[in-house]
Amino acid sequence: MSKLEVLRNPKQRKLLFSAGMSWLFDAMEVGMISFIVAALAKEWSLSPGQVGVLTSINSIGMALGALLAGALADRFGRKAILMWTLLIFTIASGLSALATGFAVLCALRLVAGIGLGGELPVASTLVSESMPTAERGRAVVLLESFWAGGWIVSALIANFVIPEYGWRIAFAIGALPAFYALYLRRAIQDPPRYKNHTKLHKITFREKVATVWSAPHRRTTLMLWILWFTVIFSYYGMFLWLPSVVMAKGFTLVKSFQYVLIMTIAQLPGYFTAAYFIERYGRKFVLVVYLTLTAISAIAFGLATTEATILAAGICLSFFNLGAWGGLYAYSPELYPTSVRSTGVGLATSVGRIGGVIAPFMVGMLVQRAVPISLIFTIFFVTILIGAAAVLFWGRETKGQELAE
C-alpha cells in the first residue's frame, strides 16, 4: 500500500480533511487566546496572575469537555458529538467579543473550553476507527497537522487584525466556524466499526470507567494519564505564554507575534516527519524521541537571549513538541476496545487538561514573583522527560495491530 494511500482514497481523504478543518478551527481558537491575552493585559491592566487565571479557566472547560464528550461519543456516536462541540466553542467565542469585564470573559472562556476539549479526542477517535490499519497512525498525525494551520491563522489574525482593530474582532472571527457544522452534518459519518458495535449503548459510564481501569488496561491507562498530563502541562505552560515570554526577553508586542508565527510554521515539518516515522518505526519511537528533543529545546529556549538563539530554540520547540502531539493522538485510541475507546481517550485527555489548568496559572505566579524564565523552562524540561519515560517503560507498541473490538 502506498504511503499516501490515505490521501488518494476519496472517501478517506474527505473524512481526513473534514475532521481536519474542525481541528484547525479548534487550534485557531486556542492560539488566539495566547495572542489576545497579551493585548488584553495592556488594555485591561491585568496582572500576570490574572492572565494565568484567564488561560487556565479555558483549560478547566477543556478538561470537562474531554470527559463528557468522550463518554457521550461512545453512547451517541462520534459524528453527533463532534458537531455539537464545534458549535459550543464557536458560539462562546463569538459571545466573548461582547465581554464587558474580566469575570464575564472568564465565564465565556470556560464554556468555550468545554467545546474545545470535547472536540479533539472525538475527532481523533473517529479518524482512527475509519482508516485501514497500515495507514491509521499516519492519518491521525496528518489530522493533528491541521493544528499548525490553526495556529498560523491565529498568528496572522494577531499580527494584522489585533493591532489595528483590537481583540474583540479576533473573538468575533472565532465564531465564524459555527457555519462549518452544517457542512459536517452531511460530509462525515460514524465509522462502520462503531455502527456495528450494537452493545455499546448498554454499557453505563461507570462500567466504561471500570473497564478502562480493569487488569488488562490498568498499566496502559496509568501510562496514558501520565503522558497526557505531562504533554499538556508543558505545552500550555510554554505556548500560551510564548508571546509574553518573547516580550519579557525585550521584544515589542508586534515583533513577538512575528517570532511566534515563524515558530508556528515550524510545526508543519514536525508533523510530517512524525507521520513518516510513526508507520516506519512505531508509536513509541516517535513519542520518546520527539519528547526528549522537546525537553532539550525547552531548556535552550529558556536560556536564549539573542534573536538568533530565541528563534532557533523556538523553531526546534515547535517542531518536536507538535510532532510528539501527533504521535500522542495516533497512539491513544489504539490502546482501548471499541466499546470504551472514546471514553478511555476522553478520560486521559481530561486528566491531561488538569495540567493545562495548572501550568498557565503557575507560570503567571512565577513571572509575577520575578522567577527567571530559564528556571521556569527547566520545570518543563523535567516534566516532559517524565512523560517520555512513562512511554518507554510502560507503553506497548501498537504499530500494525488491528483495533481491538
Side-chain angles (χ1 to χ4, degrees):
M1 182 180 287
S2 167
K3 292 176 181 177
L4 295 177
E5 186 67 27
V6 68
L7 296 180
R8 293 178 180 174
N9 183 301
K11 187 175 181 180
Q12 294 172 2
R13 184 173 64 244
K14 182 179 181 180
L15 171 65
L16 180 61
F17 279 92
S18 297
M21 286 303 297
S22 67
W23 204 286
L24 182 148
F25 295 138
D26 203 327
M28 181 184 75
E29 176 74 9
V30 173
M32 281 199 303
I33 283 294
S34 70
F35 296 116
I36 286 171
V37 293
L40 197 59
K42 284 190 170 183
E43 184 175 326
W44 284 3
S45 300
L46 301 180
S47 68
Q50 287 179 304
V51 171
V53 169
L54 184 58
T55 52
S56 292
I57 202 78
N58 202 63
S59 293
I60 292 174
M62 294 182 81
L64 292 172
L67 179 63
L68 294 172
L72 291 172
D74 276 337
R75 183 169 180 81
F76 298 108
R78 284 55 165 137
K79 172 185 173 179
I81 303 305
L82 180 65
M83 289 191 300
W84 277 108
T85 52
L86 177 64
L87 282 171
I88 288 170
F89 85 73
T90 52
I91 292 172
S93 177
L95 292 175
S96 296
L98 305 176
T100 55
F102 181 73
V104 174
L105 185 58
C106 284
L108 289 168
R109 297 321 304 162
L110 177 68
V111 176
I114 291 173
L116 290 165
E119 182 188 344
L120 299 176
V122 174
S124 62
T125 298
L126 187 153
V127 171
S128 182
E129 290 178 333
S130 303
M131 296 295 173
T133 301
E135 291 296 314
R136 188 176 62 232
R138 180 172 291 116
V140 178
V141 177
L142 290 175
L143 170 70
E144 245 287 277
S145 70
F146 283 83
W147 187 268
W151 266 81
I152 290 170
V153 172
S154 69
L156 291 172
I157 291 171
N159 202 21
F160 297 107
V161 176
I162 293 178
E164 293 292 328
Y165 304 103
W167 57 270
R168 294 184 188 275
I169 297 299
F171 273 136
I173 292 172
L176 297 178
F179 297 102
Y180 188 69
L182 300 175
Y183 169 77
L184 281 182
R185 185 177 180 182
R186 304 185 67 174
I188 63 174
Q189 299 295 328
D190 279 316
R193 184 183 300 273
Y194 171 81
K195 291 180 179 179
N196 294 336
H197 210 285
T198 57
K199 294 182 180 180
L200 279 174
H201 303 291
K202 299 180 181 179
I203 302 175
T204 67
F205 178 70
R206 180 177 294 181
E207 290 171 329
K208 291 173 184 176
V209 175
T211 301
V212 167
W213 277 104
S214 62
H217 304 295
R218 190 172 298 136
R219 189 172 79 166
T220 290
T221 297
L222 180 60
M223 177 276 300
L224 207 55
W225 285 21
I226 292 172
L227 177 61
W228 274 94
F229 182 90
T230 55
V231 169
I232 294 182
F233 177 90
S234 56
Y235 176 81
Y236 283 91
M238 292 187 297
F239 281 83
L240 286 183
W241 275 89
L242 213 53
S244 301
V245 168
V246 173
M247 288 174 64
K249 287 178 178 287
F251 298 97
T252 64
L253 180 63
V254 174
K255 191 70 172 178
S256 73
F257 288 156
Q258 295 168 352
Y259 272 96
V260 174
L261 176 59
I262 294 171
M263 295 174 193
T264 303
I265 292 173
Q267 296 176 9
L268 288 169
Y271 285 123
F272 297 148
T273 55
Y276 173 77
F277 290 134
I278 203 162
E279 294 296 357
R280 186 173 181 85
Y281 300 115
R283 283 63 164 149
K284 289 184 64 174
F285 171 86
V286 167
L287 284 166
V288 172
V289 170
Y290 277 62
L291 285 174
T292 301
L293 293 173
T294 298
I296 295 171
S297 301
I299 281 288
F301 188 85
L303 295 173
T305 54
T306 65
E307 289 190 20
T309 55
I310 289 173
L311 192 58
I315 287 173
C316 290
L317 190 63
S318 293
F319 181 98
F320 293 115
N321 186 263
L322 277 298
W325 269 99
L328 178 61
Y329 272 106
Y331 188 45
S332 300
E334 297 176 340
L335 297 172
Y336 295 108
T338 301
S339 60
V340 297
R341 180 168 297 119
S342 193
T343 300
V345 177
L347 284 169
T349 307
S350 184
V351 169
R353 295 298 172 191
I354 296 173
V357 174
I358 295 171
F361 183 75
M362 179 199 75
V363 174
M365 293 296 99
L366 293 176
V367 170
Q368 191 165 295
R369 297 181 181 183
V371 174
I373 296 297
S374 59
L375 181 56
I376 294 173
F377 274 76
T378 300
I379 295 173
F380 296 127
F381 168 79
V382 174
T383 303
I384 296 165
L385 290 183
I386 291 172
V391 178
L392 181 64
F393 295 110
W394 291 345
R396 61 181 176 87
E397 183 56 63
T398 55
K399 173 179 173 288
Q401 297 179 9
E402 290 287 345
L403 292 177
E405 293 293 345

